Amino acid sequence: MHPMLNIAIKAARRAGGIINRATRNLDIVVVREKAANDFVTEVDREAEEAIIRTLHEAYPDHAILAEESGASGKSEYEWIIDPLDGTTNFLHGYPQYSVSIALRHRDVVTQAVIYDPTRNDLFTATRGRGAFLNDHRMRVTRRDTLKSSLLGTGFPFRQLEHLETYLAILRDMMKGAAGVRREGSAALDLAYVAAGRLDGFWELGLSPWDMAAGGLLITEAGGLAGDLVGENRYLETGNIVCGNPKIFVELLKAVKPHLTPALKRG
C-alpha cells in the first residue's frame, strides 16, 4: 500500500472515531446553519482538525483544501478533505455519512479514501493500482442498459436555479431506470458506484471535497466519471455523471436534452 494512502487511512479512521463517539449524544451536538439546508457541527470541525493534524504530522509542507477550514498552504501536493459528508443524516441518526480524503498531486488525484464509520467500510484507491473495499478488489457493475440499472443522485439544494432542470432529468431517470436512490452523502454514493452497489450516479452543485476521492475510486474500479457533457472537469464545474462505461454513456444521453447553456459551460 502506498505510504501516503496509509496516512490518509489513519486520518480517516481517527475522524471516524470522533464521529462514532458523537452519535451517542446527538442531542447535545452544537449545530450551525452555514446556508439554507447546509449545516456544520462541532463534530465536523473536530473531525477535520484531527484529519489535518494527522496529515501534517507526516507531511507538514502539504497544502490543504478542506470543507470547513478552506484552503491553506502552497504545495504541488494538496489534500482535499470532507470530514463528515452527510451532516444532516448524521444529525438525525440516519446512518449514511462518510469521511472523504483525497490527495491531488499537480492537479491529478492520486490517492483516495472514503470511510463509512457506521459500517466500518473502508474504500481506498491509488492511481494505477486499483480500488479496494476492506482489502477486496472493487469493480463497477456490468449492466449495460439504463432500464436494468439502480442509480444514485443528490438534490441540488445549493443551486436552486437549476432545480427545474434537475427535476426534468430526475423524471426521465425514474421512468427509464430500475430505481433511483437519494441517500444524502455524495462521497459514499460515489464509493457505492465503484463497489458495484450502484450502476451510476449524477448530481449538480457539488464541491471538490464531495467528489475527489470518489472519482478516483470509480476510475480505478473500471468506471468513468465526467461532468454533464462527459468531460473530465467535474471538480471544476461541481456537476458529475459517473458509472460503469456503458451506463455512463447512457446517463449522458439522458441528461443532454435538458442541459441549459449555463450547465453546458459548467
Side-chain angles (χ1 to χ4, degrees), residues 145-161:
T145 65
L146 211 54
K147 184 178 181 180
S148 64
S149 295
L150 181 63
L151 306 176
T153 189
F155 302 149
F157 64 91
R158 295 190 189 98
Q159 293 189 353
L160 293 180
E161 68 271 23

Side-chain angles (χ1 to χ4, degrees), residues 199-220:
D199 299 293
F201 177 85
W202 88 97
E203 188 167 351
L204 313 181
L206 293 171
S207 299
W209 43 79
D210 299 314
M211 302 178 286
L216 181 61
L217 289 175
I218 290 167
T219 55
E220 287 297 317

Side-chain angles (χ1 to χ4, degrees), residues 4 15 29-30 36 72 78 80 86 92 96 102 110 131 158 171 178-180 184 186 204 235 246 251 255:
M4 290 184 177
V29 171
V30 177
S72 62
E78 180 183 50
I80 305 174
H92 288 80
Q96 191 77 5
T110 59
R158 295 190 189 98
R171 182 187 62 238
V180 179
L204 313 181
L235 292 183
K246 291 184 178 179
L251 285 172
V255 165

Side-chain angles (χ1 to χ4, degrees), residues 2-266:
H2 194 286
M4 290 184 177
L5 184 63
N6 265 326
I7 294 299
I9 291 170
K10 181 179 180 182
R13 289 196 181 278
R14 283 184 176 176
I18 291 167
I19 294 165
N20 279 340
R21 286 193 295 274
T23 61
R24 303 168 192 162
N25 296 288
L26 284 175
D27 56 327
I28 63 171
V29 171
V30 177
V31 184
R32 181 175 64 83
E33 190 170 17
K34 295 188 289 186
N37 301 319
D38 192 5
F39 302 96
V40 61
T41 72
E42 58 187 343
V43 180
D44 295 72
R45 297 188 183 281
E46 186 180 349
E48 184 170 293
E49 289 169 3
I51 292 169
I52 293 172
R53 185 166 58 250
T54 302
L55 297 176
H56 273 167
E57 285 172 358
Y59 305 107
D61 298 327
H62 285 191
I64 298 291
L65 176 62
E67 179 175 16
E68 307 308 335
S69 58
S72 62
K74 290 185 178 181
S75 170
E76 63 184 30
Y77 291 96
E78 180 183 50
W79 293 96
I80 305 174
I81 302 162
D82 192 337
L84 177 50
D85 185 54
T87 299
T88 302
N89 285 350
F90 164 77
L91 286 171
H92 288 80
Y94 186 80
Q96 191 77 5
Y97 42 83
S98 59
V99 180
S100 179
I101 304 173
L103 176 64
R104 182 161 55 184
H105 180 223
R106 296 178 179 174
D107 293 327
V108 176
V109 178
T110 59
Q111 310 293 335
V113 174
I114 293 176
Y115 180 52
D116 177 351
T118 68
R119 300 172 182 84
N120 198 29
D121 277 346
L122 183 69
F123 305 83
T124 61
T126 294
R127 182 167 293 274
R129 299 188 186 180
F132 297 84
L133 167 56
N134 298 331
D135 299 322
H136 297 285
R137 185 70 180 261
M138 292 193 299
R139 300 297 297 180
V140 295
T141 65
R142 295 182 179 180
R143 289 186 181 87
D144 56 4
T145 65
L146 211 54
K147 184 178 181 180
S148 64
S149 295
L150 181 63
L151 306 176
T153 189
F155 302 149
F157 64 91
R158 295 190 189 98
Q159 293 189 353
L160 293 180
E161 68 271 23
H162 299 309
L163 181 58
E164 294 305 316
T165 298
Y166 172 81
L167 290 174
I169 296 170
L170 177 61
R171 182 187 62 238
D172 285 358
M173 297 298 187
M174 290 175 67
K175 289 179 179 179
V180 179
R181 303 288 181 263
R182 194 275 184 179
E183 293 288 353
S185 171
L188 200 52
D189 287 335
L190 296 178
Y192 279 16
V193 173
R197 297 175 178 177
L198 293 171
D199 299 293
F201 177 85
W202 88 97
E203 188 167 351
L204 313 181
L206 293 171
S207 299
W209 43 79
D210 299 314
M211 302 178 286
L216 181 61
L217 289 175
I218 290 167
T219 55
E220 287 297 317
L224 296 172
D227 62 14
L228 298 179
V229 295
E231 296 180 358
N232 189 30
R233 296 178 57 243
Y234 56 91
L235 292 183
E236 302 167 38
T237 66
N239 307 318
I240 190 168
V241 172
C242 59
N244 74 47
K246 291 184 178 179
I247 298 306
F248 176 74
V249 172
E250 292 300 309
L251 285 172
L252 290 176
K253 288 179 181 177
V255 165
K256 185 176 180 180
H258 303 290
L259 294 184
T260 62
L263 286 172
K264 288 179 182 177
R265 292 193 303 270

